[in-house]
């Protein structure tokens, strides 16, 4: 299974998502940040169906929500942020979805005995400090070890939290042993992860 993990710029449309789907036909799943889809959920469903991809991201309606769309363009998960974190089965894969700061506030509680193929972690904007960057990676490693699964996350390439002067774009993947598959800090190139070989292909920055 190949998963594309992207760090797009904030935009009103979904052109960067459309471009990634067009440019990388070999991937099975595309992960975009929290809040990227927003009012474009219907367009994203259509794109998932026409491109034959699973799309994992977030949107606002009107508050932040976690979303997974299957290859048929059908929404498999659409839950409000801070609701109980859940695992959903999509095409035989059990996928966890942690939305942004749910990572440090609640994680995935009560599911330690359930097999999870991977956990996706769409993040809104970049980290507001080096300390936060390190903290979130540490928490991701703890969850990966606790659930014996891959955890992967990504933020937008731009934007800051509540007007902070610092915004550090982040994308990462850690394995079930808490080891780093890759960590991207201030490097907004997309990555394609092959979950079978654990190899990572770095691809050019997407344009808006």
């Amino acid at each position: 299974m190949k998963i594309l993990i992207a760090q797009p710029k904030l935009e009103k449309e979904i052109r960067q998502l459309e471009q990634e789907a067009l440019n990388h036909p070999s991937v099975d799943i595309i992960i975009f940040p929290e809040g990227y889809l927003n009012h474009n959920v219907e367009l994203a469903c259509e794109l998932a169906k026409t491109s034959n991809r699973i799309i994992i991201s977030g949107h606002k309606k009107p508050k932040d929500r976690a979303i997974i769309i299957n290859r048929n363009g059908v929404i498999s998960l659409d839950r409000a942020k801070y609701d109980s974190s859940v695992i959903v089965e999509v095409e035989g894969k059990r996928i966890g979805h942690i939305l942004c700061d749910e990572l440090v506030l609640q994680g995935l509680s009560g599911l330690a005995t359930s097999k999870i193929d991977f956990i996706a972690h769409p993040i809104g904007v970049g980290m507001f400090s080096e300390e936060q960057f390190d903290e979130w990676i540490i928490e991701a490693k703890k969850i990966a070890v606790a659930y014996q699964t891959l955890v992967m996350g990504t933020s937008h390439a731009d934007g800051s939290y509540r007007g902070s002067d610092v915004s550090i774009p982040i994308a990462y993947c850690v394995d079930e042993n808490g080891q780093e598959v890759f960590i991207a800090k201030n490097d907004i190139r997309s990555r394609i992860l092959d979950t079978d070989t654990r190899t990572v292909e770095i691809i050019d920055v997407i344009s808006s």
Side-chain angles (χ1 to χ4, degrees):
M1 178 173 60
K2 291 187 176 181
I3 303 175
L4 189 149
I5 303 161
Q7 300 175 80
K9 292 183 178 180
L10 292 164
E11 64 175 342
K12 294 181 179 180
E13 299 174 330
I14 58 169
R15 292 179 180 176
Q16 293 161 95
L17 177 57
E18 292 169 343
Q19 181 179 332
E20 292 288 35
L22 176 65
N23 290 348
H24 305 288
S26 68
V27 304
D28 304 288
I29 299 171
I30 301 175
I31 302 177
F32 263 52
E34 175 194 41
Y36 176 79
L37 297 182
N38 289 335
H39 60 281
N40 295 304
V41 170
E42 289 186 8
L43 288 175
C45 289
E46 182 180 342
L47 177 64
K49 184 175 182 179
T50 58
S51 65
N52 194 33
R53 309 292 160 72
I54 297 168
I55 295 174
I56 303 175
S57 186
H59 69 111
K60 291 182 183 289
K61 188 185 175 182
K63 296 184 178 180
D64 291 316
R65 300 185 66 86
I67 191 167
I68 299 177
I69 305 167
N70 70 23
R71 293 180 196 260
N72 295 319
V74 176
I75 295 173
S76 300
L77 170 69
D78 185 7
R79 67 164 178 84
K81 190 174 183 179
Y82 308 128
D83 278 1
S84 297
S85 298
V86 297
I87 308 284
V88 295
E89 185 167 322
V90 183
E91 297 180 12
K93 300 293 184 182
R94 288 175 56 79
I95 302 172
H97 193 309
I98 299 175
L99 198 60
C100 202
D101 60 349
E102 289 181 335
L103 178 79
V104 293
L105 295 179
Q106 64 190 61
L108 286 175
S109 59
L111 296 168
T113 59
S114 300
K115 173 177 167 50
I116 306 172
D117 288 283
F118 71 90
I119 298 172
H121 178 213
I123 304 166
V125 296
M127 304 288 94
F128 58 76
S129 69
E130 295 284 347
E131 291 76 16
Q132 185 196 18
F133 192 104
D134 293 340
E135 177 191 13
W136 284 35
I137 294 298
I138 289 170
E139 289 301 316
K141 289 180 178 180
K142 289 178 181 177
I143 291 172
V145 171
Y147 294 98
Q148 285 294 287
T149 193
L150 292 167
V151 179
M152 58 199 76
T154 186
S155 76
H156 286 95
D158 56 350
S160 64
Y161 179 73
R162 295 184 178 176
S164 171
D165 293 333
V166 178
S167 179
I168 306 170
I170 179 175
Y172 72 88
C173 178
V174 294
D175 69 16
E176 61 273 14
N177 298 311
Q179 300 299 308
E180 299 173 2
V181 179
F182 73 86
I183 304 291
K185 178 190 290 185
N186 273 325
D187 179 352
I188 59 173
R189 292 175 294 177
S190 297
R191 268 85 174 161
I192 296 177
L193 168 69
D194 187 320
T195 60
D196 296 323
T197 63
R198 303 295 172 87
T199 56
V200 179
E201 177 187 357
I202 302 176
I203 55 182
D204 291 338
V205 175
I206 54 181
S207 59
S208 56

